[in-house]
Amino acid sequence: LALAEARAQGGSGGAWWFGVGGRAYAQPAVSSGLSPNIGDYCYVRGAWSALPEALQRRRVGGHGSVHILHAPGGPPAANRHPCLALIAGSVVRTSHPVWSLNPDYVNPLSPSGQLLESTLVDYISSPEIMNILTDITKLPSDSFPTRSAVNASASASAVEYLHTEFGALGLTTCSQSFSWSSRCNEGPQNGFLVPRSSSCRATNENVIAYIPGGANGSITVGAHYDSRPFEGAPAPGADDNGSGVAVLLAL
């Protein structure tokens, strides 16, 4: 249904509807084989390609990065993709809301500091950030882009890229190695995504670029360069967190 039509009907006959952007999804007919109970549905946010297969199989509607799932047994367990309850007559936005500056905000910088801030911001452009993001999301190759933290070769490619880019900016770099373990392997069980009993262990590197200063204290700007899913599918991670890395390099 169009959203305006659903609002006009107002859930006639006790039926419910749920809006996603400018669309509305009405209570399914019994003949559809789907549950008529709104409590048997939930929705997740995220790119379709990044959703685990168990969630993709349950998708019955949605738009853009919002996916409605049929989950009569309860919300599927999925790391980083919490399934939220549908509320009859409500509408979920498919885009992020525009952030508005508090009218009472006062810039703490001096006039000269504000001029310097404005000058530096003018050097950063959306096309520049997009170019960097495009490079990041193609690592380590166009055929299978991934920065999975448990993929040693993919992680090494990302680390090499960051050292190269920081070096091109004239920054001194170093690496900090660390090891970690997690129940990262997930698989379907009774139609739901659950952690397997096995665990994985990996060694990764923090890439640090620094500008030596002459006073005490420091300012740290960071972003994680790894992405998900861990296994079995491309993980270009444009939003998680390639965009953060791109902005960091643009700064």
Side-chain angles (χ1 to χ4, degrees), residues 102-250:
N102 188 324
D104 297 327
Y105 172 79
V106 177
N107 194 316
L109 298 177
S110 65
S112 61
Q114 293 182 44
L115 178 61
L116 177 60
E117 179 186 51
S118 177
T119 302
L120 294 176
V121 169
D122 287 341
Y123 279 106
I124 302 173
S125 66
S126 295
E128 177 189 12
I129 294 174
M130 185 57 67
N131 288 337
I132 298 172
L133 180 59
T134 298
D135 291 339
I136 294 170
T137 54
K138 290 182 178 179
L139 295 173
S141 68
D142 288 345
S143 59
F144 195 85
T146 181
R147 297 189 310 283
S148 167
V150 298
N151 185 319
S153 61
S155 295
S157 176
V159 168
E160 180 182 6
Y161 171 83
L162 292 171
H163 278 295
T164 300
E165 293 300 307
F166 282 134
L169 295 173
L171 302 179
T172 302
T173 64
C174 64
S175 292
Q176 176 193 36
S177 297
F178 63 95
S179 297
W180 59 276
S181 60
S182 172
R183 299 175 67 179
C184 61
N185 295 320
E186 296 179 332
Q189 178 177 309
N190 297 326
F192 294 98
L193 198 67
V194 296
R196 293 178 181 156
S197 58
S198 61
S199 64
C200 64
R201 186 171 180 81
T203 298
N204 295 102
E205 293 184 32
N206 290 323
V207 180
I208 303 168
Y210 61 95
I211 303 174
N216 293 329
S218 64
I219 297 176
T220 302
V221 181
H224 72 84
Y225 63 80
D226 63 311
S227 63
R228 296 214 180 182
F230 280 128
E231 300 176 297
D239 190 44
D240 185 11
N241 187 34
S243 57
V245 176
V247 170
L248 187 151
L249 290 174

